[in-house]
Amino acid sequence: MRVVVLGAGFGGLELTTRLSEEFGTDVDVVLIDQSDDFVFGFSKLEVMFGRARSEQVRHPYGDFVKPGVRFVQSAVRAIDPNTKRVETDAGTFDADVLVVALGADLHPEATPGLVEGGYEFYTEPGAFALRDVLANFDGGRVIVAVTSTPFKCPPAPSETALLMHDFLTERGLRDGSQISLVMPLPVPIPPSPDASKALLVAFEERGISWHPETLVRGLDPKRQVATLGDGAEMPYDLFLAVPTHRVPEVVAQSGMTVDGWIPVNPITLETQFPGVYAVGDVTSVGTPKAGVFAEGQAAVAAGGISALIRGAGESPRYDGRGICYLEFGRNQVAKVGVTFVTGQAPTGWLEGPSPALVADKAEFGSSRVQRWFGRTWP
């Protein structure tokens, strides 16, 4: 049996690792991704703010060596979910089971003026390039803005504002600068009221201006102003954006999407196409678009595929649980847990922020590098 997995993020790495652990070379697993390395989302901020070098946070897929799994670095050009056939630059792959874990693509061009007048920090190239931009920034009016919903990693915009405060403070530039966080949401992290309250307190303590339920329509690069949904303007010297998210075009062209994302069974992660699963940001399963949720969904999909291969056993059920870390700066990290159940309001909890959770966050990353890539990550 051949299992073809598209996308080597949290979902693809965890799913193929589980299949390798259970079946070894008895199952043919192909993992396809156009990138040559994996980078944790939180590592992008580490590089952006000069706390790590890019080479320290890259995890080459060449180190992903698992029995029964073949990694293919290639762009996916077409997906036929009916036949489970995938066209790539490296050739055609026919699958018995197909898993789509291609995530979401980012479109800064969807916000007028953003490409010319601002920066996005959600892609690897965008965040890494900002390292030099920030190193040469002399302070001023900083806007961190979410330009549309849904978006990946709900804590990241708040983390960026808080880390910007530390960054400017350490360089003696904070007194002459302003930091504004602009979001179309009513609170920083809607699924977690406790986390949102803690963030709002932190914003107030640090003098970060919070603009909820505010949409950025576009930027005027010449005047250096952002135009808001109500027609008001906000001047800026540095504009850091979370750009518009969409499914990859190859997914949109596959006929799998409804209202822009792939619908799945929220319990099994199966799509409407037999033998085809989807996990992570590419889906509309109802959980936040974050790596930890993709990892949990991958575990469920792997269990379903395992039961299919063995012809016996009960498929696991997705419980909608996820834990993420929230960087407060000042050597303080919080831990946020949220559970999403279809038809019910999400429930959650908050631990911290505290210095003790800095090590906990580091262990989260290093344990996955060890599991997926078979090496230590200091």
Side-chain angles (χ1 to χ4, degrees):
M1 179 173 286
R2 168 173 283 185
V3 180
V4 175
V5 182
L6 308 181
F10 268 81
L13 290 170
E14 180 63 20
L15 191 146
T16 52
T17 296
R18 284 177 176 260
L19 292 179
S20 176
E21 290 172 342
E22 183 167 358
F23 296 103
T25 57
D26 291 340
V27 175
D28 178 19
V29 180
V30 180
L31 176 61
I32 304 173
D33 197 291
Q34 64 181 350
S35 300
D36 60 1
D37 61 33
F38 171 80
V39 176
F40 288 97
F42 61 77
S43 292
K44 296 171 188 173
L45 294 181
E46 295 289 319
V47 174
M48 175 175 158
F49 285 104
R51 307 196 323 185
R53 300 186 307 275
S54 60
E55 61 269 21
Q56 293 176 303
V57 303
R58 297 180 186 271
H59 307 288
Y61 288 127
D63 293 343
F64 184 76
V65 180
K66 304 289 182 184
V69 180
R70 175 164 57 109
F71 176 75
V72 177
Q73 184 183 351
S74 183
V76 178
R77 299 302 180 186
I79 304 169
D80 186 338
N82 292 295
T83 62
K84 297 185 283 292
R85 172 170 289 187
V86 179
E87 303 285 347
T88 78
D89 288 345
T92 300
F93 295 86
D94 291 305
D96 296 297
V97 177
L98 177 64
V99 182
V100 181
L102 287 169
D105 282 354
L106 306 182
H107 293 268
E109 77 285 354
T111 301
L114 176 55
V115 173
E116 301 83 4
Y119 301 91
E120 62 83 12
F121 60 95
Y122 256 49
T123 66
E124 183 179 321
F128 289 3
L130 272 164
R131 178 189 179 101
D132 291 336
V133 173
L134 292 181
N136 294 306
F137 182 57
D138 294 328
R141 299 160 299 188
V142 181
I143 296 177
V144 181
V146 177
T147 61
S148 70
T149 59
F151 61 95
K152 297 189 287 185
C153 194
S158 299
E159 292 177 311
T160 302
L162 292 168
L163 291 175
M164 179 60 70
H165 168 82
D166 284 4
F167 181 85
L168 294 173
T169 300
E170 290 166 3
R171 285 155 180 75
L173 300 170
R174 185 64 180 97
D175 289 343
S177 299
Q178 302 170 11
I179 302 174
S180 299
L181 177 58
V182 180
M183 299 180 71
L185 304 176
V187 293
I189 306 179
S192 178
D194 289 342
S196 291
K197 290 176 184 177
L199 284 169
L200 292 176
V201 170
F203 296 159
E204 185 173 358
E205 290 175 346
R206 293 160 175 79
I208 295 171
S209 179
W210 162 240
H211 300 266
E213 299 183 305
T214 303
L215 182 65
V216 175
R217 284 184 175 178
L219 306 185
D220 184 335
K222 291 183 179 179
R223 297 170 54 225
Q224 287 192 290
V225 297
T227 303
L228 307 181
D230 61 1
E233 294 183 340
M234 288 184 68
Y236 68 88
D237 297 297
L238 179 65
F239 191 94
L240 304 176
V242 179
T244 296
H245 289 43
R246 297 174 185 151
V247 293
E249 184 60 25
V250 68
V251 176
Q253 294 294 328
S254 71
M256 300 182 69
T257 63
V258 175
D259 296 329
W261 307 95
I262 300 178
V264 295
N265 182 315
I267 302 301
T268 65
L269 285 307
E270 295 172 288
T271 71
Q272 61 178 316
F273 300 92
V276 181
Y277 292 77
V279 300
D281 297 347
V282 77
T283 73
S284 56
V285 69
T287 61
K289 295 187 182 301
V292 289
F293 289 99
E295 182 181 357
Q297 293 162 23
V300 172
I305 294 169
S306 172
L308 179 64
I309 292 172
R310 296 190 181 279
E314 186 174 340
S315 298
R317 298 168 61 87
Y318 182 49
D319 60 11
R321 296 173 184 263
I323 295 173
C324 65
Y325 293 89
L326 178 53
E327 177 75 58
F328 274 75
R330 298 178 177 175
N331 198 40
Q332 300 270 328
V333 170
K335 199 175 189 179
V336 182
V338 184
T339 300
F340 290 81
V341 178
T342 302
Q344 301 179 24
T347 59
W349 49 265
L350 174 71
E351 180 183 350
S354 71
L357 288 173
V358 174
D360 204 66
K361 176 183 174 182
E363 170 60 21
F364 171 86
S366 61
S367 64
R368 280 149 182 80
V369 170
Q370 180 64 51
R371 173 169 168 74
W372 295 335
F373 297 96
R375 61 179 178 82
T376 57
W377 185 34

